Amino acid sequence: MKKYFGILLCLLSWSAAAERQFDVEVIVFKRNLSPEVVKESWPEQTPAVDFAGSVSASNSASMLINDLQVLPEALGN
């Protein structure tokens, strides 16, 4: 029994020692209607975006005035 327990521990530690493991989940959807039946329309001209309350991230003075800070980069990149 101790042999089997030792082998089981070795197998578990071997899989944990892998450099990186990823789980990938894919969800596939099927359309209810054919594309010819659906009549989507998009505007030719989009409305202008109002930047009145925006602050530039490269302007450190305005960032400080508005009590904002740029988030640090994620570790491990």
Side-chain angles (χ1 to χ4, degrees), residues 3 6 8-10 16 18 23 27-30 36 38-42 45 49 52-54 58-59 63 66 76-77:
K3 284 184 189 180
L8 179 64
L9 284 177
C10 288
D23 290 334
I27 300 174
V28 179
F29 293 94
K30 181 178 178 183
E36 294 81 25
V38 178
K39 301 292 184 210
E40 290 183 318
S41 63
W42 298 95
Q45 297 266 332
V49 178
S54 65
S58 62
N59 187 344
M63 294 282 285
N66 291 300
N77 286 338

Side-chain angles (χ1 to χ4, degrees), residues 12-37:
L12 290 175
S13 65
W14 181 62
S15 65
E19 200 170 309
R20 287 188 180 194
Q21 295 179 353
F22 298 97
D23 290 334
V24 177
E25 295 182 15
V26 177
I27 300 174
V28 179
F29 293 94
K30 181 178 178 183
R31 292 183 74 144
N32 291 341
L33 302 171
S34 69
E36 294 81 25
V37 175

